[in-house]
Amino acid sequence: MSTASSSNSSGEERNKKSGSNEESSHLLESAENGAKYGSRQPVKIVKGSDNERTSSIPHDQENLLGNMVHTSTSNNSQKWPQYVAALAAAGGAFAAGTVLGWTSPAETELVDRGEGYDFSVDKDQFSWVGSAMTLGAACVCIPIGFLINMIGRKWTMLFLVLPFIVGWAMLIWATNLGMLYASRFILGIAGGAFCVTAPMYTGEIAQKEIRGTLGSYFQLMITIGILFVYAVGAGVRIFWLSIICGILPLVFGAIFFFMPESPTYLVSKDRSENAIKSIQWLRGKEYDYEPELAELREIDRETKTNKVNVWAALNRPVTRKALAISMGLMFFQQVCGINAVIFYASRIFVEANTGIEAEWASILIGIMQVVATFVSTLVVDKLGRRILLLASGISMAVSTTAIGVYFYLQKQDKSQVANLGWLPVASLCLFIIMFSIGYGPVPWLMMGELFATDIKGFAGSLAGTSNWLLAFVVTKTFVNLNDGLGIGGTFWLFAGLTVLGVIFVFLAVPETKGKSLNEIQQELAGSRSTPEAIPAEK
């Protein structure tokens, strides 16, 4: 239910009286609320023979009122507290990024040099050390969806500090290979849970005008976490690197403790006073919270009135469509070749005779990821989600095709690529930049936008689980693909799958830029918020 239609009981009472002043006042109030939240069209009370009913305002009247509101009113909303809360939540993503990036400097020390622990780790064993994290993340995504709804978004993220600490402690003082596997699995649980909880929290605290920007902070902080590990790992031993990474979740917990809970969750638990405090914290004390609170209450009322079990909710057409879109984006994010490109990045820099050593090549890649993801946060609410995904997919397909050509020619005759060292380097840089602008952050952002409140936790968890399972499969089968298809053929396979992803985005993915969560649900259901004609008044 929209703000305009759910927060105007006083307007309806005024309409019972005659006179154009009261009706104009009601229309203005409706227009104000619709302009603030954009969830539905403003409504007007129409007199019937027995009952009053609502209908949409015509275009000309709506536009007139919209201009009046634009020039004469303001909702006095402050946006900087929302940036603060989103960045604080993304601190958990930073911690998750360190878990992802740890394997790069660790492989050099543990496998190549045979140092770091009192036991040895060979290349095959280390592949399980790396992939154990993805298995842990896949296992936690569904359970965390229930925990989110039980104790809230904020306390779920604070609770995740515990597995972070346990995981890093086990990794730092591991005495055997099994302990190393277990530590990475536990760290995967913490990191994977954040990938579900943080986007949901950010999507619920942000106003629609900046929801895309704030949602992109999640992927941005992951890339910063990866870069942090690359940079620190180039200068310290793996023991001290692990200790530093283990301290970061504590820093996150200390900061995020002071952030507000999601107003959506608080309303769902009938904690209206706390919801008001949360909204005022996020929007400012001068903000008129009543229309937003009324909308949240109405949505919650409708959800509880039509409450169904998880399987029935998943069987709703709108949920099936949202789940198909979200899981499709997660699928194409993983099979576009990002892991393969990162895996061969150092080799590409070395073989191209760039003079850049492997460790510094990793740092350079990390910098490109951070810069490109930051650019994405600036443009995602201006250009939209679809255009970023389409541009990203097309560019990545071209890049992986070019890298495949280079390795294919190299296998045939190395002299053919003697003067083509620039080709894989340029393609690699283009791929990293465009992935970080589109396919990196946008699928996680949209996961927090596409689902209805009553199924968001579980459905988002399913999408997250599919992402991590695909990451595990792609990581573990990459060597087998190389053996069967060759390096060139493997990159061409990724290019073909990315082209399919572009087609999928073009045909199936809706644009969610500038739309409220309510409007997105209406669009997925196939309805449009277009004004209808007003029945003749009697």
Side-chain angles (χ1 to χ4, degrees), residues 412-454:
Q412 301 299 313
D413 183 3
K414 286 189 176 182
S415 62
Q416 295 185 73
V417 296
N419 298 320
L420 288 178
W422 60 270
L423 178 63
V425 173
S427 300
L428 169 72
C429 294
L430 177 64
F431 184 98
I432 294 294
I433 290 170
M434 295 309 296
F435 175 86
S436 300
I437 285 178
Y439 267 82
V442 174
W444 293 109
L445 162 63
M446 295 193 70
M447 187 181 74
E449 295 180 323
L450 291 172
F451 298 108
T453 304
D454 63 338

Side-chain angles (χ1 to χ4, degrees), residues 404-414 416-417 420:
V405 168
Y406 175 84
F407 280 118
Y408 176 79
L409 294 176
Q410 184 189 60
K411 185 177 181 180
Q412 301 299 313
D413 183 3
K414 286 189 176 182
Q416 295 185 73
V417 296
L420 288 178

Side-chain angles (χ1 to χ4, degrees), residues 134 249 266 354 403:
T134 61
L266 293 171
T354 59
I403 295 174

